């Protein structure tokens, strides 16, 4: 998921993982996941990649998402943003139409927007957009998701990318949960402008759970309340 500019993944979860719900995120790279085994290894939640740009759909999404739910994991969907391949509104519509929904059932996490380094553009980390255009793109995506499902997306990013490509915008912190990626560290580090706390922290790209390794910043009851939208 994250193309982290620096740092190496921790082989083990940070010490505080014993106190907070552990989870992971998967995509087509993980293909068929043994969900019972993931739950037995300590997974409490998972995010599943649903879409990318305006055309790609994860061919394993339905099986991954439904399989996670069948064993009792809280699960949500995420969209990998390519702001140079379509408007924020168009990508949001594609996402919501292909798995990026939400309901206040206590089992469904709000959808997430994965916006980070351009994996296809070499040194063009910001997709050729200005800082103002990037902020406007994220706002258009969020507004369309909110219009369609009634909830704002979680924003997944790194502090470095956010500062570089949005100019350190604080426009989203008040009403968007933060999913921060930072590897090779005992803590989540300095957060993007405006956020005083993270909701999810992706601390490694491999570990005891399939895919990337994550923590929720709270209790198991807090995670369920977050899922419900309380």
């Amino acid at each position: 998921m994250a193309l982290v500019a620096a740092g190496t993944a921790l082989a083990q979860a940070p010490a505080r993982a014993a106190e907070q719900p552990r989870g992971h995120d998967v995509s087509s790279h993980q293909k068929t996941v043994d969900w019972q085994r993931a739950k037995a290894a300590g997974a409490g939640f998972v995010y599943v990649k649903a879409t990318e740009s305006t055309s790609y759909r994860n061919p394993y999404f339905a099986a991954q998402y439904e399989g996670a739910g069948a064993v009792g994991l809280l699960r949500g969907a995420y969209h990998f943003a390519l702001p140079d391949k379509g408007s924020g509104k168009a990508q949001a519509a594609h996402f919501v139409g292909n798995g990026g929904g939400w309901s206040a059932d206590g089992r469904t996490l709000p959808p997430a927007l994965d916006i980070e380094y351009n994996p296809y553009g070499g040194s063009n980390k910001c997709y050729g957009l200005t800082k103002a255009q990037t902020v406007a793109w994220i706002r258009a995506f969020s507004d369309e998701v909110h219009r369609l499902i009634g909830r704002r997306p979680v924003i997944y990013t790194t502090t470095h990318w956010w500062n570089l490509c949005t100019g350190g915008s604080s426009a989203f912190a008040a009403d968007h949960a933060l999913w921060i990626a930072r590897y090779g560290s005992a803590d989540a580090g300095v957060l993007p402008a405006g956020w005083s706390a993270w909701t999810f922290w992706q601390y490694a790209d491999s570990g005891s759970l399939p895919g990337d390794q994550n923590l929720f910043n709270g209790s198991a009851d807090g995670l369920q309340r977050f899922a419900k939208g309380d």
Side-chain angles (χ1 to χ4, degrees):
M1 193 170 174
L3 305 177
V4 179
T8 56
L10 291 173
Q12 297 180 337
R16 68 187 304 174
E19 306 167 5
Q20 296 169 311
R22 294 174 52 220
H24 54 133
D25 56 88
V26 299
S27 66
S28 61
H29 295 294
Q30 282 70 44
K31 298 182 179 178
T32 301
V33 177
D34 186 336
W35 293 106
Q36 287 286 5
R37 184 174 181 180
K39 184 177 182 180
F45 67 91
V46 66
Y47 268 99
V48 181
K49 181 175 181 179
T51 53
E52 182 174 313
S53 186
T54 57
S55 58
Y56 175 80
R57 296 182 294 173
N58 172 11
Y60 298 93
F61 173 77
Q64 291 174 337
Y65 189 86
E66 292 168 8
V71 301
L73 298 188
L74 275 66
R75 70 281 190 271
Y78 78 86
H79 173 81
F80 191 93
L82 293 179
D84 59 341
K85 301 297 184 183
S87 69
K89 182 177 181 180
Q91 292 195 33
H94 175 60
F95 176 43
V96 173
N98 291 281
W102 174 75
S103 62
D105 57 7
R107 301 174 59 245
T108 306
L109 295 169
L113 171 65
D114 176 353
I115 189 155
E116 53 170 286
Y117 310 100
N118 184 351
Y120 307 115
S123 60
N124 183 16
K125 294 181 175 65
C126 302
Y127 304 90
L129 275 62
T130 67
K131 295 176 177 64
Q133 288 171 334
T134 300
V135 170
W137 193 98
I138 297 169
R139 176 56 63 187
F141 183 96
S142 176
D143 285 349
E144 183 66 3
V145 168
H146 186 261
R147 186 185 73 82
L148 291 170
I149 69 169
R151 189 155 186 195
R152 296 284 179 187
V154 175
I155 293 179
Y156 168 98
T157 194
T158 71
T159 299
H160 179 268
W161 185 91
W162 192 264
N163 289 339
L164 177 69
C165 297
T166 75
S169 173
S170 59
F172 301 93
D175 55 358
H176 292 75
L178 174 65
W179 183 0
I180 191 71
R182 188 174 193 239
Y183 299 172
S185 175
D187 58 50
V190 177
L191 303 181
W195 278 286
S196 59
W198 51 270
T199 298
F200 297 102
W201 170 25
Q202 186 185 89
Y203 62 85
D205 60 3
S206 63
S208 61
L209 303 177
D212 302 316
Q213 313 295 293
N214 297 276
L215 291 179
F216 173 74
N217 194 7
S219 65
D221 286 345
L223 178 62
Q224 190 166 57
R225 290 194 300 271
F226 176 73
K228 289 180 179 179
D230 294 346

